[in-house]
């Protein structure tokens, strides 16, 4: 009799364990926002685990998520006309992780398999990577650089893709050209400097006093301390200005361009009329996901041509602190959230 009861208890225990395991697989820890606002709207909480809904999608176990200004701009509601996000929203569009689930079949093209270590900029119109799991499109994925651990790999995708697309797609930068990069010590800037040097350009870049040595280490030919010098007194005959600051920095940049040069901004659209009048080109560049370009970037990193700098690594629960730091506008390299040990 007692054995029977024991057996029943064991059986019941096994069933409830099974139930709780399956309940766990339906949920995950994530940082979500339920309305726009300051860092206090970031909530670390349980959320439904996303499901793969199409053969072109991949479920990723997130190990680390890069923090970018776009994250707090979305959180504040500045991007609401561009991306019609629904609440609750998981921010964070920069990640490194491991393939957890992928549908076999022709649509997946066999590029990835379960267990692959990957990195990505997922579609910023969908949920992001401040979570244990994310579903991304296969076209947004690449194998992560082998030489980087996840926390460093997560610092790369958004900054490097944006820099790549601005310099080489929009800017058509070629060897020997002169480029001025505003904000050369930040997330996009420190990658843009290295990519421009790799291409053979002559690089001028701005940052404050504390980051002058960093600019030199990154290979900048003419570092400019914007707190002590007017960049337009130093920079002349520039082929390409990469504006990562906007405002009066952008406005003062026209005068440094040579005839036929280009002013590209990632922050605010430069005046096309002014560009026309001055005989230069001007454009706003919006970065977009590209697994193919991320694969090229991974190759550059593994061949030691490009190295991300990570200023701070914080656990996912400290996301509010990460946003406060990013929002200060003085990040040196990148801030990364560690999602899995
Ligand atoms: N359009 C797109 O697709 C796209 C993509 C990525 C980023 N963005 C935008 O591009 C901007 C830069 O992004 P990020 O990730 O590089 O930002 P970030 O990491 O926050 O940039 C911080 C860097 O900017 C430097 N800085 C601040 N004020 C400066 C000034 N007046 N002159 C020169 N440098 C200055 C700081 O150097 P000091 O501390 O030495 O001052 C710091 O190292 C953000 O507005 C972001 O939203 C747009």
């Amino acid at each position: 009799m007692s054995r029977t009861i024991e057996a029943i208890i064991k059986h019941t225990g096994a069933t409830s364990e099974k139930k709780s395991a399956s309940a766990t697989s339906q949920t995950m820890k994530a940082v979500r926002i339920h309305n726009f606002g300051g860092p206090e709207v970031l909530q670390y909480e349980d959320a439904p685990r996303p499901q793969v809904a199409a053969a072109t999608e991949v479920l990723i176990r997130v190990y680390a998520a890069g923090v970018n200004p776009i994250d707090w701009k979305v959180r504040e509601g500045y991007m609401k006309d561009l991306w019609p996000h629904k609440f609750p929203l998981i921010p964070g569009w920069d990640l490194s992780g491991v393939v957890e689930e992928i549908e076999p079949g022709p649509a997946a093209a066999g590029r990835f398999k379960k267990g692959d270590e990957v990195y990505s900029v997922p579609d910023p119109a969908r949920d992001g990577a401040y979570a244990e799991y994310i579903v991304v499109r296969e076209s947004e994925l690449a194998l992560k650089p082998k030489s980087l651990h996840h926390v460093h790999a997560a610092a790369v995708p958004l900054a490097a893709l944006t820099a790549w697309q601005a310099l080489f797609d929009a800017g058509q930068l070629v060897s020997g050209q002169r480029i001025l990069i505003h904000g050369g010590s930040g997330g996009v800037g420190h990658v843009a400097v290295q990519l421009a040097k790799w291409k053979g350009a002559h690089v001028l870049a701005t940052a404050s006093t504390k980051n002058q040595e960093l600019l030199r280490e990154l290979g900048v030919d003419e570092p400019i301390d914007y707190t002590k010098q007017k960049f337009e007194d130093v920079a002349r005959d520039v082929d390409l200005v990469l504006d990562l600051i906007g405002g009066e920095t952008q406005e003062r940049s026209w005068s440094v361009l040579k005839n036929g040069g280009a002013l590209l901004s990632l922050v605010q659209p430069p005046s096309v009329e002014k560009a026309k009048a001055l005989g230069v080109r001007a454009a706003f560049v919006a970065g977009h996901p590209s697994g193919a370009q991320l694969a090229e970037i991974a190759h550059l990193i593994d061949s030691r041509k490009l190295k991300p700098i990570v200023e701070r690594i914080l656990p996912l629960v400290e996301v509010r602190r990460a946003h406060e730091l990013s929002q200060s506008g003085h990040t040196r390299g990148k801030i990364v959230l560690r999602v899995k040990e």
Side-chain angles (χ1 to χ4, degrees):
M1 178 69 176
S2 70
R3 244 191 231 145
T4 317
I5 292 169
E6 206 181 304
I8 290 167
I9 292 168
K10 263 194 183 159
H11 177 75
T12 315
T15 309
S16 62
E17 254 170 43
K18 216 174 176 182
K19 257 190 198 150
S20 85
S22 84
T24 312
S25 72
Q26 306 289 317
T27 59
M28 63 174 182
K29 287 291 178 200
V31 169
R32 301 195 294 181
I33 61 169
H34 297 258
N35 49 281
F36 295 127
E40 70 284 353
V41 302
L42 295 160
Q43 303 285 348
Y44 180 78
E45 60 193 16
D46 288 327
R49 190 163 139 175
Q51 309 283 325
V52 169
T56 48
E57 291 183 339
V58 184
L59 180 71
I60 306 293
R61 176 66 165 100
V62 180
Y63 277 58
V67 175
N68 293 283
I70 195 69
D71 303 355
W72 55 260
K73 289 181 184 179
V74 166
R75 192 205 69 221
E76 295 274 3
Y78 299 151
M79 314 306 288
K80 63 178 180 230
D81 295 333
L82 185 61
W83 296 306
H85 289 133
K86 290 199 182 82
F87 294 128
L89 170 72
I90 301 173
W93 293 275
D94 219 2
L95 70 99
S96 183
V98 172
V99 173
E100 176 86 9
E101 187 187 324
I102 184 162
E103 292 287 324
R111 285 205 303 135
F112 302 98
K113 59 182 186 316
K114 189 173 159 96
D116 277 348
E117 297 192 304
V118 290
Y119 71 156
S120 176
V121 175
D123 183 347
R126 304 185 0 163
D127 268 337
Y130 289 3
E132 289 180 308
Y133 294 92
I134 183 172
V135 168
V136 306
R137 296 188 191 97
E138 201 217 345
S139 59
E140 296 158 359
L141 272 186
L143 293 175
K144 81 165 177 60
K146 288 187 179 58
S147 54
L148 297 182
H149 293 298
H150 288 290
V151 279
H152 285 88
V156 174
L158 194 142
L161 265 190
T162 315
W164 183 282
Q165 290 163 7
L167 296 184
F168 307 142
D169 295 344
Q172 299 286 305
L173 184 71
V174 294
S175 178
Q177 285 189 320
R178 290 166 63 80
I179 178 170
L180 169 61
I181 299 172
H182 288 303
S185 50
V188 178
H190 87 287
V191 177
V193 164
Q194 296 177 69
L195 289 178
K197 285 305 296 177
W198 167 68
K199 196 49 113 176
H202 181 89
V203 180
L204 301 91
T206 58
S208 70
T209 313
K210 70 177 192 305
N211 284 320
Q212 293 302 296
E213 192 48 40
L214 173 67
L215 292 183
R216 271 183 219 102
E217 283 166 17
L218 291 170
V220 171
D221 299 287
E222 296 183 56
I224 302 169
D225 182 344
Y226 71 84
T227 68
K228 294 191 173 149
Q229 285 169 298
K230 285 175 108 180
F231 64 81
E232 57 271 46
D233 290 345
V234 183
R236 296 257 186 286
D237 294 327
V238 169
D239 295 280
L240 183 60
V241 172
L242 181 61
D243 168 32
L244 305 174
I245 304 298
E248 56 126 21
T249 298
Q250 182 184 103
E251 203 43 49
R252 287 164 40 213
S253 292
W254 297 107
S255 67
V256 310
L257 284 169
K258 66 153 71 151
N259 202 282
L263 169 51
L264 299 179
S265 180
L266 299 185
V267 184
Q268 63 184 80
S271 160
V272 176
E273 295 73 39
K274 193 149 197 174
K276 217 170 166 191
L278 292 169
V280 297
R281 199 160 61 81
F284 174 75
V285 178
H288 56 86
S290 167
Q293 288 178 335
L294 279 182
E296 290 189 67
I297 290 163
H299 180 68
L300 272 191
I301 291 171
D302 285 338
S303 22
R304 307 273 182 269
K305 302 283 192 313
L306 175 65
K307 189 179 168 192
I309 292 172
V310 178
E311 180 186 36
R312 286 293 282 272
I313 301 166
L314 293 165
L316 184 59
V317 287
E318 287 188 40
V319 63
R320 292 179 183 176
R321 177 84 188 115
H323 272 223
E324 281 161 6
L325 289 169
S326 173
Q327 215 160 345
S328 77
H330 294 287
T331 306
R332 188 183 161 97
K334 300 280 307 185
I335 300 165
V336 173
L337 293 166
R338 189 193 294 278
V339 181
K340 188 180 185 321
E341 287 304 319

